[in-house]
Each structure stands twice: as C-alpha cells, then as structure tokens.
Amino acid sequence: MKLLGVTRSSNQDVAEGYGPAIQEAEFIAYAATTKDNIIATRHVTEPATIALEDRQLFQAVMAEATQLKRDEQCDGLLFSRCDRLSRQMEGAIQVALDLRKVGLAIVLVRENQVLKPDDPPINFVMFILQVFGVDSQTRISLTNLKAGQHRAASEGKLPAGAGPGLLGYNLVSKHFEANSFITVCDEVLERGYRRESINQITRDLQVRGV
C-alpha cells in the first residue's frame, strides 16, 4: 500500500521520549517488513485530548490524504499506535469513519492492525474496543491527577469512584463489583458478530452516553 505517515506529539510525549523521530523510525521498520511504500510523513504537534474539530493541524493532514486518495497516490494513513489518532473515543471513531468514507485505510504499527474501508463490521468493532481502552486510560490518568486521588493512593486505597464505570469496577463494602462497561463490551462484540452496522452501534452508544 501507499501510505502517508502521521506522527502526533504533545509536549508531554516529547518529554517522555516518544516524539516524531521515534514514531517515524517505527514507520520505517514497519514498512521494511511489509514492503509498503511510505510516500511522505507529516508531523502534527498538538494534544489529542481536544475536540477533533479543533485539531487544525490534524484536519489539514486528513484533507491532504483525501486529495491524495482522489489522485490515486495514497491508500491509507500510517500511525505508530492507536492513541496517535485521538485519545478520545468519539474522536478516534470519527476519524476511522471519515477515512472509511473516502476509501482510506488505517495502519497501526504497534497494534499490528490494518483497518481497511471494505473490512467486515467486526473489524471496526475491535477497533472501537481499542479506542475505548485508550479513552479509559486517558480518563484514568487525568482523574488520578486530582488531589483526592493522590490522598487515596497515599493511604493505599485503589482509586474507585473515579467516575461512572471509569475503571471497570466499583468498590462496594471493600469488595470489587464489575460495573456496566463489562456488559457494554460484550454487547458491542455480540452486535459486531451479528454484522450490525458500525454506525448504528456507535449512535446507540452515544445516545446512552457511553
């Protein structure tokens, strides 16, 4: 495939040693094994926790990729890992749907996943579960910055109550109880296997505030 590489870095990513150079090196190593052709690499420096419509640099890359697709010069976008698209579940799913609409694939190096426009619904269901995990990890990280969570950690307590279903469990009378997100994952997988529309599954989850 002819791929447009996209690195995304925030100041924190660079500070933690995961800047554009590291991501681009992963692209090169990946292409060497798959024989895909990286036609160019674009570097986006902005946080992925802001709303998708406010990510102007990323939107410009999406527009460029769409035009390259029309010119038959690009087959997909190459990312080093899933959270480079967005750290928000809704944003990542919207990116995937937008790219699918124009016929572009998504390639994730670390997850070793290729999401093609003509893939069956179950492939998109698995992608949803991946971005759900990224979204949850991001929410957990942000929540754990709060003073109350730091106090709980200093007392040796797990940060239950960080939000409705946020951590995958509720702490009741010092016993763990699985919350509704477990059943949500089961529902998404089951509906995917029934070959339900990915758009309908996404809309249903959004209506329910998941």
Side-chain angles (χ1 to χ4, degrees):
M1 287 194 295
K2 298 185 291 289
L3 301 174
L4 179 65
V6 183
T7 72
R8 186 204 52 81
S9 306
S10 63
N11 292 335
Q12 182 178 351
D13 291 320
V14 174
E16 294 176 351
Y18 199 63
I22 296 297
Q23 296 175 47
E24 191 167 9
E26 292 184 356
F27 295 166
I28 295 172
Y30 175 84
T33 60
T34 63
K35 307 304 180 185
D36 288 325
N37 177 27
I38 302 175
I39 58 174
T41 299
R42 300 290 179 254
H43 303 292
V44 176
T45 305
E46 61 186 8
T49 52
I50 60 178
L52 184 60
E53 58 268 21
D54 296 329
R55 296 175 59 191
Q56 297 181 359
L57 297 177
F58 187 80
Q59 292 289 0
V61 172
M62 292 275 287
E64 179 186 6
T66 300
Q67 184 58 54
L68 289 170
K69 175 63 178 178
R70 293 195 188 105
D71 298 337
E72 299 183 351
Q73 298 178 24
C74 182
D75 299 313
L77 270 63
L78 176 64
F79 299 90
S80 60
R81 65 189 192 200
C82 186
D83 66 358
R84 300 300 92 184
L85 281 77
S86 175
R87 287 189 176 276
Q88 297 179 335
M89 182 175 178
E90 183 177 351
I93 292 175
Q94 189 60 56
V95 170
L97 292 175
D98 288 346
L99 293 176
R100 185 183 190 186
K101 184 177 181 180
V102 297
L104 287 166
I106 294 176
V107 180
L108 306 175
V109 174
R110 291 205 175 185
E111 288 84 356
N112 193 29
Q113 181 180 13
V114 179
L115 190 64
K116 296 181 179 180
D118 56 353
D119 277 348
I122 186 60
N123 292 36
F124 271 79
V125 168
M126 298 308 296
F127 175 77
I128 287 177
L129 292 178
Q130 277 188 328
V131 298
F132 167 72
V134 170
D135 184 276
S136 297
Q137 287 179 334
T138 301
R139 290 171 183 265
I140 291 170
S141 297
L142 293 175
T143 300
N144 283 341
L145 292 177
K146 295 180 180 179
Q149 298 300 330
H150 283 305
R151 287 198 301 271
S154 67
E155 296 170 3
K157 299 177 181 178
L158 289 170
L166 186 60
L167 301 178
Y169 62 80
N170 298 314
L171 187 58
V172 179
S173 301
K174 296 186 178 181
H175 294 286
F176 293 117
E177 294 184 358
N179 61 32
S180 60
F181 272 164
I182 303 300
T183 57
V184 168
C185 290
D186 286 341
E187 176 190 346
V188 170
L189 282 172
E190 181 178 350
R191 293 179 64 175
Y193 278 116
R194 292 203 304 262
R195 306 184 71 84
E196 291 191 34
S197 163
I198 190 65
N199 291 332
Q200 186 60 54
I201 295 174
T202 303
R203 284 194 294 269
D204 290 346
L205 292 177
Q206 289 175 337
V207 167
R208 287 157 47 189
V210 176

